[in-house]
Amino acid sequence: MIYEVKDLDFTYPGTSRQILKKVSFSLAEGQIMEILGPNGAGKSTLLNCMAGLLKPDSGTILLDGRDITAMSPKEIASVAAYVPQNHTPSFGYRVKDFVVMGAAPKLGVFGRPSEEDELRCMEVLEELGIDHLAERSYLEISGGERQQAMIARALIQDPKVILFDEPTAHLDYGNQHRMLKIVRNMSRKGYAVVITTHNPDHALLLKDNAGILDKDGHMISGPSEEIITEKNLSDIYNYELKLVYIEGLDRYACIAPKL
């Protein structure tokens, strides 16, 4: 297993509300874990714990067989790449320079990106359809384009697993589905992927493993067809939702009744 999360508890310092309660799941290379839940349920908090950015109150996180608390930030980054939901730029780097910085975990203290890293950068930008932004300032592109640049930077990192915190949040409808195709292709290449989303249809499209976090901090997880049910979705979103089979597409879709 690339990730083993066991009985994870987390409370932000200075607060009384426990965000995560006994959260447990595992993830193997090549698998996708889609995590759903209402606003404030703790999806981003869970990813921050998995990336080593937050320290749980109790429980363990094993990353590639090692306790994450015993790993340095560079060691964690060599295995797991994290794409946050929001990123505030500080400098006007060219997009290609910003992306190639993702190679840093592979370099020594005074190391510089190699020609191979530069070529890989352009390949990834082309794969994501943003190679036309290569020479643009990172400060001058849109929020959705920055999100795609962050994804490119994660891929350059050459990790075994990528943690995506709502990667489709700032993307238009077409780019949302292109992003899901990228996630699916990454899993086929052997990457493990964790992706948080508010959209049940995204989890239904990816159709792998799923976890649902409720507002009390508990999570259920398992095969998506067992976890993504009408009852579970209606319970967590506090709204009547239906799963409808679309014969022409050979898949289920999540829909709401008339307004």
Side-chain angles (χ1 to χ4, degrees), residues 18 46 54 57 69 72 81 84 87 89 95 99 109 115 123 152 163 166 176 181 192 194-195 201-202 214 227:
Q18 189 173 345
L46 175 57
L54 292 175
D57 303 332
T69 60
S72 69
H87 179 257
V95 168
V99 170
V109 176
E115 185 177 341
E123 288 175 1
L163 309 174
E166 295 192 41
Q176 287 181 28
K181 279 190 174 183
V194 180
I195 176 172
D201 259 340
H202 292 175
D214 64 27
I227 298 300

Side-chain angles (χ1 to χ4, degrees), residues 40 56 219:
M219 189 170 96

Side-chain angles (χ1 to χ4, degrees), residues 12-186:
Y12 282 101
T15 67
S16 58
R17 182 190 164 215
Q18 189 173 345
I19 304 297
L20 302 175
K21 297 178 183 177
K22 303 300 178 188
V23 171
S24 299
F25 66 92
S26 59
L27 183 71
E29 291 183 45
Q31 288 187 326
I32 301 171
M33 168 67 84
E34 310 111 20
I35 300 177
L36 298 97
N39 289 329
K43 301 184 297 296
S44 296
T45 299
L46 175 57
L47 260 60
N48 276 287
C49 290
M50 294 175 68
L53 301 175
L54 292 175
K55 184 178 180 180
D57 303 332
S58 60
T60 58
I61 300 175
L62 300 181
L63 176 58
D64 206 17
R66 297 181 61 189
D67 190 323
I68 200 169
T69 60
M71 300 172 70
S72 69
K74 185 173 181 178
E75 288 173 325
I76 294 171
S78 69
V79 183
Y82 178 42
V83 181
Q85 185 178 154
N86 296 301
H87 179 257
T88 303
S90 300
F91 301 100
Y93 295 113
R94 291 180 303 177
V95 168
K96 69 178 183 180
D97 295 328
F98 173 80
V99 170
V100 83
M101 289 176 193
K106 301 181 292 182
L107 306 176
V109 176
F110 300 107
R112 294 174 59 86
S114 65
E115 185 177 341
E116 184 179 346
D117 292 326
E118 300 279 356
L119 290 172
R120 175 61 178 150
C121 170
M122 293 309 298
E123 288 175 1
V124 171
L125 290 175
E126 186 174 352
E127 180 182 348
L128 294 176
I130 57 171
D131 50 309
H132 62 286
L133 300 175
E135 298 294 334
R136 293 272 304 277
S137 167
Y138 187 71
L139 294 173
E140 296 174 355
I141 60 178
S142 70
E145 289 168 337
R146 287 177 188 166
Q147 185 77 354
Q148 290 172 293
M150 284 290 295
I151 293 166
R153 180 171 164 140
L155 292 173
I156 289 293
Q157 199 169 314
D158 195 26
K160 293 183 179 181
V161 56
I162 301 183
L163 309 174
F164 287 114
D165 193 4
E166 295 192 41
T168 60
H170 303 290
L171 302 180
D172 62 41
Y173 192 74
N175 279 323
Q176 287 181 28
H177 286 269
R178 291 185 187 95
M179 179 65 230
L180 296 178
K181 279 190 174 183
I182 289 167
V183 168
R184 172 54 67 199
N185 288 336
M186 287 168 60

